[in-house]
Amino acid sequence: MWVKQKDKTMTDNQFPDIDLPPLEITSFAYDYEKETTGDFVDIHELNKKIQILRHTLYTVSDKYSEAAARYEYVKTLYDKAYRRAYLSLDDTIKTDVKRNLAAMECEPIEADLVKWLTKTKRYKTEVDTLRADINVAITISHNLRHTTK
């Protein structure tokens, strides 16, 4: 694709590098290396483990909800800014170009949007993993109770 820019024709690979903010990947709140759902002999120890997992699940679920709400808020800000930027452009500009210019004007908000989307997905992954760990611990608990009868 060829683009005319200030009396100069450039190919796609000649565009300058885009300065993107560093991507933050949220670390897991739960230490999977330290806390395992391995073999248990004592039913009381297993019950404590299930309670720890449940408490951690509630904590991470709260973080997930906050990140999802923040994402929706920033998405609304982006949509409003994009519409305003698009409508403020001259009507003589082609529609495709207007869309691109409006999107370029909203890039800082878009970077924040990506950050919150990444956090939301990370917390969702952790919530799903914790739920699976709880289910495994509960199954082990049922098996342990059954063998002690």
Side-chain angles (χ1 to χ4, degrees), residues 8-135:
K8 209 164 136 183
T9 304
M10 298 171 29
T11 61
D12 283 343
N13 60 352
Q14 291 174 322
F15 282 107
D17 290 334
I18 297 172
D19 185 26
L20 289 177
L23 184 62
E24 280 182 33
I25 297 183
T26 307
S27 60
F28 282 124
Y30 185 67
D31 187 0
Y32 291 97
E33 297 298 321
K34 188 178 92 178
E35 305 288 341
T36 61
T37 54
D39 295 331
F40 290 91
V41 177
D42 184 11
I43 194 75
H44 299 292
E45 191 65 34
L46 181 57
N47 283 335
K48 280 199 283 186
K49 177 64 178 181
I50 291 171
Q51 293 306 317
I52 290 169
L53 284 168
R54 288 181 60 233
H55 177 69
T56 306
L57 176 64
Y58 297 144
T59 303
V60 176
S61 292
D62 287 345
K63 289 181 180 182
Y64 169 72
S65 297
E66 290 171 18
R70 184 69 179 172
Y71 169 77
E72 289 300 324
Y73 175 75
V74 174
K75 186 176 182 328
T76 303
L77 287 178
Y78 176 82
D79 291 342
K80 288 174 87 174
Y82 178 85
R83 283 192 301 270
R84 288 180 184 188
Y86 183 86
L87 293 174
S88 69
L89 294 170
D90 189 8
D91 287 337
T92 60
I93 301 173
K94 289 184 179 181
T95 303
D96 301 0
V97 176
K98 280 176 75 170
R99 285 184 190 138
N100 290 335
L101 289 172
M104 286 172 63
E105 191 173 318
C106 298
E107 282 179 352
I109 300 171
E110 188 178 29
D112 201 27
L113 189 65
V114 169
K115 177 181 83 172
W116 287 106
L117 178 62
T118 304
K119 283 187 177 193
T120 302
K121 287 182 177 183
R122 180 67 170 216
Y123 287 135
K124 175 73 170 115
T125 301
E126 190 169 3
V127 164
D128 292 344
T129 304
L130 283 165
R131 281 196 184 114
D133 282 354
I134 289 173
N135 289 337

